[in-house]
């Protein structure tokens, strides 16, 4: 089934649902005119449809593999990557000083999502490079920037992020990789890293690794970690790839999905690296890359959901089975109530998750363009929601896509199962969704809920505007926002462990309310009548009520959870 980029949806969201006009009105992003936005979305959409989408099955059926120490990528991936790089899609938001377009992250978010829907395995490569570009722009020395950024921005070189070690997963502070000064301003990096997405490839001239390591005498834990740039090939005096560095790919992981994306075990044996940022301040520099990647990973989930939805819809519109329960129906399984329920749920969830991600990107752009603390706080608050809900949506929608196919969904040849296998890891990497939720109830409520309350104020103002046009929907959204406000105020007063016990349902409660808010905005944007209004009604009447259950769980506390004894978990 051919993929069709949902360009119309992005345009509508930017025109009617999120305040992208405020981004374009800033001096920093003045070039993001409606014509420019339309051209970017249209060209990127065509590239995704014509070049990347045909590679989706190839990566799954012919995985990347290690051959005599060299990573060999899936058929067509080199040509697909070339189209991404030559089109400038790696560097939409990068600084023009180094060859980037300097456009808003909101546009990057839309383009990345389209690439994810077309071929998630390949899209993961430029996503990692984009994060590295941002980290270097913010923390690297001028000398490092001059050598590396033009190459990364052009796509000639690619970037990775090296955090995890065999004994140090989410507990990054337990890492053992060490960095010894060489006496010439460089460092010798020694250690092993695992789960390195696109740790190597056979289509870029160089692969640049951002590696967390510990300097001699550094304190234990995250405060003693530094960040280093360690290239596969050390640049020569002309900035071109020179001699091979002392690093190698030990093996590639055999994964549930994303077979086209080589996930490497990397070994560093005194490899030459350059310090990025200040010594012992590596986590701050790395978080610049990780925060970029968290929104990007949320977009990966949404993209996979879009691909799975289109796949399932095409099947449902073609598959005939049983007698149609609808007079004058199509005669396909789309006539059946439960299939229709699943497809409507998939479409409604995608719109909600996409709008949350775009709202987060707008807040990040406004924070960068204006320096206003309120926008920065909003971006920080929305990031864990965008990441977790975007990826949960991907998993749920992809699984539902298999169900729409019935027995054929369980047959690999249909391609339905691939979306489910590929997207599953997105809820795990770049900080598990549980960690995102703990961040939301922890750091993001340290202001007493001020950033969250400002968001809820906006939700309620929009609901008040909608009361004349869509009174029943507006009332439901307003009441849900009030319930969420009360739950947040109660959670702020709770002890940390009680917050953590209900963190995931609290985040999902936020996602439900924000999803309803954006659906209501969409209904208003088309005048209260039309396809978006019908979808909004479906979401608000049938899905928004789930927020009450989420909030009840969120406020239940930790006591009952820990009352379950360890031995109670035994079979």
């Amino acid at each position: 089934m051919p993929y069709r980029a949902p360009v119309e949806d992005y345009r509508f969201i930017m025109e009617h649902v999120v305040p992208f006009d405020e981004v374009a009105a800033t001096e920093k992003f003045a070039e993001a005119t409606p014509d420019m936005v339309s051209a970017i979305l249209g060209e990127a959409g065509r590239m995704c449809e014509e070049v990347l989408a045909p590679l989706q099955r190839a990566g799954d059926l012919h995985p990347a593999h290690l051959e005599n120490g060299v990573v060999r990528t899936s058929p067509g991936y080199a040509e697909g990557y070339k189209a991404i790089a030559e089109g400038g899609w790696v560097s939409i938001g990068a600084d023009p000083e180094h060859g980037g377009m300097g456009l808003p992250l909101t546009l990057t978010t839309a383009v990345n999502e389209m690439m994810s829907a077309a071929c998630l395995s390949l899209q993961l490569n430029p996503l990692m490079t984009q994060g590295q570009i941002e980290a270097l722009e913010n923390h690297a020395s001028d000398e490092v920037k001059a050598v590396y950024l033009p190459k990364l921005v052009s796509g000639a070189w690619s970037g990775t992020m090296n955090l995890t070690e065999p004994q140090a997963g989410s507990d990054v502070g337990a890492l053992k990789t060490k960095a010894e000064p060489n006496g010439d301003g460089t460092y010798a990096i020694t250690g092993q890293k695992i789960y390195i997405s696109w740790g190597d490839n056979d289509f870029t001239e160089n692969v640049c690794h951002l590696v967390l390591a510990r300097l001699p005498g550094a304190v234990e834990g995250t405060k003693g970690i530094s960040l280093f740039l360690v290239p596969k090939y050390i640049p020569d005096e002309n900035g071109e790839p020179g001699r091979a560095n002392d690093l190698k790919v030990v093996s590639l992981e055999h994964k549930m999905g994303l077979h086209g994306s080589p996930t490497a075990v990397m070994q560093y044996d005194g490899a030459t690296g350059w310090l990025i940022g200040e010594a012992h301040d590596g986590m701050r520099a790395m978080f610049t890359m990780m925060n970029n990647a968290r929104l990007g990973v949320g977009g990966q989930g949404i993209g996979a959901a879009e691909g799975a939805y289109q796949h399932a819809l095409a099947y449902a519109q073609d598959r005939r089975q049983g007698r149609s329960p609808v007079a004058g129906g199509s005669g396909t399984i789309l006539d059946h109530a439960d299939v229709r329920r699943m497809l409507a749920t998939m479409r409604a969830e995608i719109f909600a998750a996409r709008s949350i991600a775009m709202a987060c990107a707008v807040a990040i752009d406004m924070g960068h363009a204006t320096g206003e603390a309120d926008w920065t706080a909003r971006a920080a608050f929305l990031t864990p929601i965008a990441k977790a809900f975007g990826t949960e949506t991907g998993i749920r929608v992809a699984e539902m896509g298999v169900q729409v196919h019935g027995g054929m969904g369980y047959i690999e040849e249909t391609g339905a199962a691939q979306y489910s296998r590929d997207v599953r890891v997105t809820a795990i990497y770049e900080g598990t969704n549980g960690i995102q939720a703990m961040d939301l109830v922890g750091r993001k409520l340290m202001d007493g809920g001020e950033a969250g309350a400002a968001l809820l104020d906006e939700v309620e103002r929009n609901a008040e505007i909608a009361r004349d046009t869509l009174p029943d929907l507006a009332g439901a959204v307003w009441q849900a926002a009030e319930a969420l406000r009360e739950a947040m105020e109660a959670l702020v007063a709770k002890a940390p462990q009680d917050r953590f016990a209900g963190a995931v349902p609290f985040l999902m409660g936020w996602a439900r309310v924000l999803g309803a808010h954006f659906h209501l905005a969409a209904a208003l944007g088309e005048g209260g009548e039309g396809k978006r209004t019908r979808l909004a009604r479906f979401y608000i009447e049938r899905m928004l009520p789930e927020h009450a259950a989420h909030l009840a769980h969120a406020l239940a506390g930790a006591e009952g959870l820990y009352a379950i004894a360890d031995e109670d978990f035994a079979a």
Side-chain angles (χ1 to χ4, degrees):
M1 197 260 347
Y3 165 72
R4 290 291 174 260
V7 171
E8 179 198 348
D9 221 30
Y10 299 121
R11 287 189 185 125
F12 185 88
I13 289 171
M14 284 190 270
E15 290 174 8
H16 300 288
V17 178
V18 301
F20 185 74
D21 56 332
E22 295 185 36
V23 175
T26 65
E27 182 179 353
K28 182 176 179 64
F29 297 121
E31 291 187 11
T33 63
D35 286 345
M36 169 69 82
V37 169
S38 184
I40 290 287
L41 294 176
E43 286 301 315
R46 276 190 288 276
M47 187 268 296
C48 291
E49 293 171 354
E50 297 171 5
V51 181
L52 299 190
L55 303 177
Q56 167 82 346
R57 291 296 286 155
D60 194 53
L61 297 174
H62 305 285
H65 61 282
L66 194 59
E67 181 182 280
N68 298 322
V70 177
V71 170
R72 301 298 184 191
T73 56
S74 302
Y77 271 39
E79 292 76 14
Y81 180 81
K82 182 179 180 182
I84 294 170
E86 290 184 350
W89 307 120
V90 176
S91 52
I92 301 173
D95 192 330
E97 181 182 350
H98 303 291
M101 297 188 195
L103 291 171
L105 178 62
T106 308
L107 277 175
T108 299
T109 300
V111 172
N112 281 348
E113 190 207 302
M114 286 192 282
M115 289 197 289
S116 299
C119 186
L120 181 55
S121 286
L122 183 54
Q123 185 272 341
L124 187 53
N125 182 295
L127 179 68
M128 292 291 95
T129 303
Q130 288 166 5
Q132 186 168 120
I133 288 169
E134 186 170 6
L136 296 183
E137 283 180 344
N138 283 278
H139 301 286
S141 66
D142 290 341
E143 293 77 13
V144 166
K145 289 179 184 179
V147 173
Y148 287 86
L149 282 176
K151 297 290 190 179
L152 291 165
V153 166
S154 71
W157 297 0
S158 60
T160 76
M161 177 167 52
N162 288 230
L163 291 81
T164 310
E165 298 182 6
Q167 80 294 339
S170 297
D171 182 13
V172 178
L175 68 80
K176 300 297 182 185
T177 298
K178 62 181 182 179
E180 301 279 350
N182 286 326
D184 60 357
T186 66
Y187 296 81
I189 312 300
T190 301
Q192 188 176 94
K193 299 287 184 176
I194 62 173
Y195 304 153
I196 309 308
S197 298
W198 281 98
D200 199 8
N201 67 73
D202 55 4
F203 50 66
T204 62
E205 299 169 1
N206 206 352
V207 182
C208 308
H209 304 281
L210 278 180
V211 183
L212 289 177
R214 205 179 299 279
L215 289 163
V219 300
E220 293 299 312
T222 57
K223 292 183 179 180
I225 296 174
S226 301
L227 181 64
F228 301 88
L229 180 60
V230 188
K232 177 181 177 180
Y233 297 107
I234 298 173
D236 62 21
E237 62 276 8
N238 298 314
E240 298 299 325
R243 69 172 179 85
N245 210 343
D246 295 310
L247 57 87
K248 63 181 178 180
V249 177
V250 176
S251 63
L252 299 182
E253 304 289 0
H254 300 281
K255 301 174 296 184
M256 174 181 175
L258 289 182
H259 295 152
S261 168
T263 301
V265 176
M266 298 295 304
Q267 181 67 39
Y268 298 89
D269 296 307
T272 301
W274 284 260
L275 180 67
I276 303 300
E278 299 296 324
H280 316 305
D281 196 26
M283 287 303 293
R284 186 171 69 89
M286 184 62 94
F287 262 109
T288 300
M289 183 174 188
M290 289 176 68
N291 282 330
N292 174 294
R294 282 174 175 171
L295 175 57
V297 170
Q300 288 184 328
I302 301 162
E306 179 68 42
Y309 168 72
Q310 291 191 21
H311 206 77
L313 177 63
Y315 181 81
Q317 289 173 325
D318 183 65
R319 173 68 168 165
R320 295 178 178 272
Q321 183 169 305
R323 295 177 60 184
S324 174
V326 181
S330 66
T332 68
I333 61 172
L334 189 57
D335 291 344
H336 296 285
D338 193 55
V339 172
R340 210 170 189 84
R341 174 194 63 82
M342 287 189 286
L343 289 167
T345 299
M346 295 162 80
R347 186 157 177 76
E349 288 282 53
I350 290 168
F351 184 84
R354 179 175 289 147
S355 297
I356 290 171
M358 297 290 272
C360 183
V362 164
I364 293 171
D365 284 331
M366 290 301 293
H368 288 162
T370 68
E372 293 177 6
D374 288 349
W375 281 113
T376 302
R378 173 168 293 198
F381 193 90
L382 285 173
T383 295
I385 301 173
K387 192 276 182 184
F389 185 61
T391 57
E392 292 291 343
T393 294
I395 292 166
R396 186 181 182 203
V397 168
E399 186 276 333
M400 211 173 290
V402 173
Q403 191 72 14
V404 169
H405 280 76
M408 291 304 295
Y410 202 64
I411 305 301
E412 285 289 353
E413 282 79 358
T414 65
Q418 183 184 344
Y419 291 104
S420 189
R421 290 186 286 102
D422 283 355
V423 77
R424 186 60 187 84
V425 72
T426 61
I428 298 170
Y429 61 28
E430 299 309 328
T432 66
N433 286 357
I435 288 174
Q436 303 303 317
M438 291 170 69
D439 177 47
L440 181 65
V441 302
R443 290 188 188 93
K444 303 307 162 55
L445 291 185
M446 288 176 66
D447 63 355
E450 186 176 332
L455 265 170
L456 291 174
D457 290 344
E458 184 176 304
V459 172
E460 292 180 358
R461 284 196 300 272
N462 187 65
E464 291 292 352
I465 293 170
R467 282 192 188 276
D468 290 338
T469 309
L470 299 161
D472 54 338
L473 301 186
V477 173
W478 194 94
Q479 291 292 344
E482 272 300 288
L484 180 53
R485 188 189 301 274
E486 292 172 8
M488 183 172 66
E489 290 171 354
L491 209 61
V492 166
K494 288 182 177 291
Q497 194 69 345
D498 287 321
R499 293 190 199 182
F500 294 154
V504 168
F506 180 68
L507 185 149
M508 295 306 292
W510 262 102
R512 275 286 166 258
V513 173
L514 288 174
H517 164 60
F518 291 126
H519 270 288
L520 184 59
L524 287 175
E526 71 170 4
E529 185 177 347
K531 65 179 183 179
R532 297 185 185 278
T533 302
R534 291 189 290 271
L535 193 65
R537 185 169 295 281
F538 176 89
Y539 186 96
I540 292 169
E541 290 181 349
R542 300 169 188 250
M543 300 172 69
L544 174 60
E546 294 173 5
H547 83 279
H550 289 312
L551 297 182
H553 189 166
L555 296 176
E559 183 178 352
L561 189 62
Y562 285 92
I564 302 172
D566 290 1
E567 55 267 24
D568 294 346
F569 290 105

